Short mmCIF file of all heavy atoms in Angstrom, two decimals:
data_model
loop_
_atom_site.label_atom_id
_atom_site.label_comp_id
_atom_site.label_asym_id
_atom_site.label_seq_id
_atom_site.Cartn_x
_atom_site.Cartn_y
_atom_site.Cartn_z
N GLY A 1148 -7.95 100.04 5.26
CA GLY A 1148 -6.85 99.17 4.85
C GLY A 1148 -5.86 99.95 4.00
O GLY A 1148 -5.79 101.19 4.07
N TRP A 1149 -5.08 99.22 3.20
CA TRP A 1149 -4.14 99.86 2.29
C TRP A 1149 -4.20 99.10 0.97
O TRP A 1149 -3.37 98.26 0.68
CB TRP A 1149 -2.72 99.87 2.89
CG TRP A 1149 -1.88 100.97 2.31
CD1 TRP A 1149 -0.91 100.84 1.35
CD2 TRP A 1149 -1.95 102.36 2.62
NE1 TRP A 1149 -0.39 102.07 1.04
CE2 TRP A 1149 -1.00 103.03 1.81
CE3 TRP A 1149 -2.73 103.13 3.50
CZ2 TRP A 1149 -0.79 104.41 1.86
CZ3 TRP A 1149 -2.52 104.50 3.55
CH2 TRP A 1149 -1.57 105.12 2.74
N PRO A 1150 -5.26 99.42 0.16
CA PRO A 1150 -5.60 98.60 -1.01
C PRO A 1150 -4.42 98.37 -1.96
O PRO A 1150 -4.28 97.26 -2.49
CB PRO A 1150 -6.71 99.39 -1.70
CG PRO A 1150 -7.24 100.34 -0.68
CD PRO A 1150 -6.17 100.56 0.33
N GLU A 1151 -3.57 99.39 -2.16
CA GLU A 1151 -2.53 99.17 -3.18
C GLU A 1151 -1.47 98.16 -2.76
O GLU A 1151 -0.72 97.69 -3.61
CB GLU A 1151 -1.89 100.47 -3.67
CG GLU A 1151 -1.25 101.32 -2.60
CD GLU A 1151 -2.15 102.48 -2.20
OE1 GLU A 1151 -3.35 102.24 -1.90
OE2 GLU A 1151 -1.65 103.61 -2.17
N SER A 1152 -1.41 97.81 -1.48
CA SER A 1152 -0.44 96.80 -1.05
C SER A 1152 -1.11 95.47 -0.70
O SER A 1152 -0.44 94.52 -0.31
CB SER A 1152 0.35 97.30 0.15
OG SER A 1152 0.98 98.53 -0.15
N ALA A 1153 -2.43 95.39 -0.83
CA ALA A 1153 -3.16 94.16 -0.50
C ALA A 1153 -2.90 93.10 -1.57
O ALA A 1153 -2.50 93.45 -2.68
CB ALA A 1153 -4.66 94.48 -0.41
N PRO A 1154 -3.09 91.80 -1.28
CA PRO A 1154 -3.59 91.27 -0.01
C PRO A 1154 -2.49 91.09 1.04
O PRO A 1154 -1.31 91.05 0.72
CB PRO A 1154 -4.16 89.91 -0.43
CG PRO A 1154 -3.27 89.48 -1.56
CD PRO A 1154 -2.90 90.74 -2.30
N PHE A 1155 -2.93 90.95 2.29
CA PHE A 1155 -2.03 90.74 3.42
C PHE A 1155 -2.28 89.36 4.04
O PHE A 1155 -3.42 88.94 4.17
CB PHE A 1155 -2.26 91.82 4.47
CG PHE A 1155 -1.97 93.21 3.95
CD1 PHE A 1155 -3.00 94.01 3.46
CD2 PHE A 1155 -0.67 93.71 3.93
CE1 PHE A 1155 -2.74 95.28 2.96
CE2 PHE A 1155 -0.41 94.98 3.42
CZ PHE A 1155 -1.44 95.76 2.94
N ASP A 1156 -1.20 88.71 4.44
CA ASP A 1156 -1.32 87.41 5.11
C ASP A 1156 -1.81 87.57 6.54
O ASP A 1156 -2.38 86.64 7.11
CB ASP A 1156 0.04 86.70 5.12
CG ASP A 1156 0.60 86.58 3.72
OD1 ASP A 1156 -0.02 85.88 2.90
OD2 ASP A 1156 1.65 87.22 3.43
N ALA A 1157 -1.53 88.73 7.12
CA ALA A 1157 -1.93 88.97 8.50
C ALA A 1157 -2.22 90.45 8.67
O ALA A 1157 -1.52 91.29 8.10
CB ALA A 1157 -0.81 88.52 9.45
N ILE A 1158 -3.26 90.75 9.45
CA ILE A 1158 -3.61 92.14 9.76
C ILE A 1158 -3.84 92.26 11.26
O ILE A 1158 -4.54 91.43 11.85
CB ILE A 1158 -4.89 92.60 8.99
CG1 ILE A 1158 -4.70 92.44 7.47
CG2 ILE A 1158 -5.25 94.04 9.35
CD1 ILE A 1158 -5.91 92.86 6.62
N LEU A 1159 -3.21 93.26 11.88
CA LEU A 1159 -3.37 93.50 13.31
C LEU A 1159 -3.92 94.90 13.51
O LEU A 1159 -3.36 95.87 12.99
CB LEU A 1159 -2.00 93.35 14.00
CG LEU A 1159 -1.94 93.44 15.53
CD1 LEU A 1159 -0.66 92.75 16.03
CD2 LEU A 1159 -1.96 94.87 16.04
N VAL A 1160 -5.01 95.02 14.24
CA VAL A 1160 -5.59 96.33 14.53
C VAL A 1160 -5.31 96.65 16.00
O VAL A 1160 -5.72 95.90 16.89
CB VAL A 1160 -7.11 96.36 14.23
CG1 VAL A 1160 -7.67 97.76 14.51
CG2 VAL A 1160 -7.37 95.97 12.78
N ALA A 1161 -4.61 97.77 16.24
CA ALA A 1161 -4.15 98.11 17.59
C ALA A 1161 -5.04 99.14 18.27
O ALA A 1161 -4.60 99.84 19.17
CB ALA A 1161 -2.71 98.60 17.53
N ALA A 1162 -6.30 99.25 17.83
CA ALA A 1162 -7.26 100.16 18.45
C ALA A 1162 -8.63 99.51 18.35
O ALA A 1162 -8.87 98.64 17.50
CB ALA A 1162 -7.24 101.52 17.75
N ALA A 1163 -9.56 99.95 19.26
CA ALA A 1163 -10.83 99.25 19.40
C ALA A 1163 -11.86 99.68 18.36
O ALA A 1163 -12.20 100.86 18.26
CB ALA A 1163 -11.40 99.50 20.79
N ALA A 1164 -12.38 98.72 17.61
CA ALA A 1164 -13.33 99.00 16.54
C ALA A 1164 -14.77 98.72 17.01
O ALA A 1164 -15.00 97.81 17.79
CB ALA A 1164 -13.02 98.12 15.34
N PRO A 1165 -15.75 99.52 16.52
CA PRO A 1165 -17.15 99.24 16.85
C PRO A 1165 -17.62 97.93 16.21
O PRO A 1165 -18.47 97.23 16.74
CB PRO A 1165 -17.90 100.43 16.28
CG PRO A 1165 -16.97 101.13 15.35
CD PRO A 1165 -15.58 100.75 15.72
N SER A 1166 -17.06 97.61 15.04
CA SER A 1166 -17.36 96.35 14.36
C SER A 1166 -16.20 96.08 13.41
O SER A 1166 -15.31 96.92 13.26
CB SER A 1166 -18.68 96.47 13.59
OG SER A 1166 -18.57 97.55 12.68
N ILE A 1167 -16.20 94.93 12.78
CA ILE A 1167 -15.06 94.57 11.92
C ILE A 1167 -15.12 95.34 10.60
O ILE A 1167 -16.10 95.19 9.86
CB ILE A 1167 -15.05 93.05 11.67
CG1 ILE A 1167 -14.87 92.31 13.01
CG2 ILE A 1167 -13.94 92.66 10.71
CD1 ILE A 1167 -15.23 90.85 12.95
N PRO A 1168 -14.13 96.17 10.30
CA PRO A 1168 -14.17 96.95 9.05
C PRO A 1168 -14.11 96.04 7.82
O PRO A 1168 -13.12 95.32 7.63
CB PRO A 1168 -12.93 97.85 9.14
CG PRO A 1168 -12.60 97.90 10.61
CD PRO A 1168 -12.98 96.54 11.13
N PRO A 1169 -15.15 96.06 6.96
CA PRO A 1169 -15.17 95.19 5.78
C PRO A 1169 -13.93 95.29 4.89
O PRO A 1169 -13.48 94.25 4.36
CB PRO A 1169 -16.45 95.61 5.04
CG PRO A 1169 -17.31 96.22 6.10
CD PRO A 1169 -16.39 96.87 7.08
N PRO A 1170 -13.33 96.49 4.69
CA PRO A 1170 -12.16 96.53 3.80
C PRO A 1170 -11.00 95.66 4.31
O PRO A 1170 -10.22 95.14 3.51
CB PRO A 1170 -11.75 98.02 3.81
CG PRO A 1170 -12.98 98.76 4.23
CD PRO A 1170 -13.71 97.85 5.17
N LEU A 1171 -10.90 95.50 5.63
CA LEU A 1171 -9.79 94.70 6.17
C LEU A 1171 -10.00 93.22 5.85
O LEU A 1171 -9.05 92.52 5.49
CB LEU A 1171 -9.66 94.92 7.68
CG LEU A 1171 -9.38 96.37 8.11
CD1 LEU A 1171 -9.15 96.44 9.61
CD2 LEU A 1171 -8.17 96.93 7.35
N VAL A 1172 -11.25 92.77 5.94
CA VAL A 1172 -11.53 91.37 5.59
C VAL A 1172 -11.28 91.17 4.09
O VAL A 1172 -10.68 90.18 3.67
CB VAL A 1172 -12.99 91.00 5.97
CG1 VAL A 1172 -13.30 89.57 5.57
CG2 VAL A 1172 -13.21 91.21 7.47
N ALA A 1173 -11.69 92.17 3.30
CA ALA A 1173 -11.50 92.08 1.85
C ALA A 1173 -10.02 92.02 1.47
O ALA A 1173 -9.65 91.37 0.49
CB ALA A 1173 -12.16 93.28 1.16
N GLN A 1174 -9.17 92.66 2.27
CA GLN A 1174 -7.73 92.72 1.94
C GLN A 1174 -6.92 91.58 2.54
O GLN A 1174 -5.69 91.56 2.47
CB GLN A 1174 -7.16 94.08 2.34
CG GLN A 1174 -7.71 95.19 1.44
CD GLN A 1174 -7.36 96.59 1.91
OE1 GLN A 1174 -6.28 96.84 2.42
NE2 GLN A 1174 -8.29 97.52 1.72
N LEU A 1175 -7.60 90.61 3.18
CA LEU A 1175 -6.90 89.43 3.70
C LEU A 1175 -6.61 88.46 2.55
O LEU A 1175 -7.48 88.19 1.72
CB LEU A 1175 -7.78 88.68 4.70
CG LEU A 1175 -7.73 89.02 6.17
CD1 LEU A 1175 -8.64 88.04 6.92
CD2 LEU A 1175 -6.31 88.98 6.73
N ALA A 1176 -5.42 87.89 2.53
CA ALA A 1176 -5.08 86.86 1.56
C ALA A 1176 -5.79 85.56 1.93
O ALA A 1176 -6.29 85.41 3.05
CB ALA A 1176 -3.57 86.62 1.58
N GLU A 1177 -5.83 84.63 1.02
CA GLU A 1177 -6.35 83.30 1.30
C GLU A 1177 -5.57 82.70 2.49
O GLU A 1177 -4.34 82.73 2.50
CB GLU A 1177 -6.19 82.43 0.04
CG GLU A 1177 -6.46 80.96 0.21
CD GLU A 1177 -7.90 80.66 0.63
OE1 GLU A 1177 -8.80 81.49 0.38
OE2 GLU A 1177 -8.11 79.59 1.24
N GLY A 1178 -6.29 82.22 3.48
CA GLY A 1178 -5.63 81.68 4.68
C GLY A 1178 -5.21 82.76 5.67
O GLY A 1178 -4.64 82.46 6.72
N GLY A 1179 -5.50 84.03 5.33
CA GLY A 1179 -5.03 85.14 6.16
C GLY A 1179 -5.76 85.28 7.49
O GLY A 1179 -6.89 84.82 7.65
N ARG A 1180 -5.08 85.91 8.45
CA ARG A 1180 -5.63 86.13 9.80
C ARG A 1180 -5.71 87.62 10.11
O ARG A 1180 -4.78 88.37 9.82
CB ARG A 1180 -4.71 85.51 10.87
CG ARG A 1180 -4.71 84.00 10.93
CD ARG A 1180 -3.82 83.33 9.91
NE ARG A 1180 -2.39 83.65 10.00
CZ ARG A 1180 -1.52 83.51 9.02
NH1 ARG A 1180 -1.88 83.05 7.84
NH2 ARG A 1180 -0.25 83.84 9.19
N LEU A 1181 -6.83 88.01 10.73
CA LEU A 1181 -7.02 89.39 11.20
C LEU A 1181 -7.27 89.33 12.70
O LEU A 1181 -8.17 88.61 13.14
CB LEU A 1181 -8.24 89.99 10.48
CG LEU A 1181 -8.91 91.24 11.06
CD1 LEU A 1181 -7.96 92.43 11.08
CD2 LEU A 1181 -10.17 91.60 10.26
N VAL A 1182 -6.46 90.06 13.49
CA VAL A 1182 -6.67 90.11 14.93
C VAL A 1182 -7.06 91.54 15.29
O VAL A 1182 -6.36 92.49 14.93
CB VAL A 1182 -5.41 89.64 15.70
CG1 VAL A 1182 -5.57 89.86 17.20
CG2 VAL A 1182 -5.14 88.16 15.43
N ILE A 1183 -8.21 91.68 15.98
CA ILE A 1183 -8.80 93.01 16.18
C ILE A 1183 -9.66 93.04 17.46
O ILE A 1183 -10.44 92.13 17.69
CB ILE A 1183 -9.65 93.37 14.93
CG1 ILE A 1183 -10.33 94.74 15.09
CG2 ILE A 1183 -10.70 92.29 14.59
CD1 ILE A 1183 -11.01 95.24 13.81
#
Side-chain angles (χ1 to χ4, degrees):
W1149 203 257
E1151 58 259 50
S1152 304
F1155 299 96
D1156 305 296
I1158 302 180
L1159 185 158
V1160 182
S1166 57
I1167 298 164
L1171 300 184
V1172 178
Q1174 291 171 36
L1175 270 184
E1177 170 62 23
R1180 288 81 61 201
L1181 162 63
V1182 173
I1183 179 172

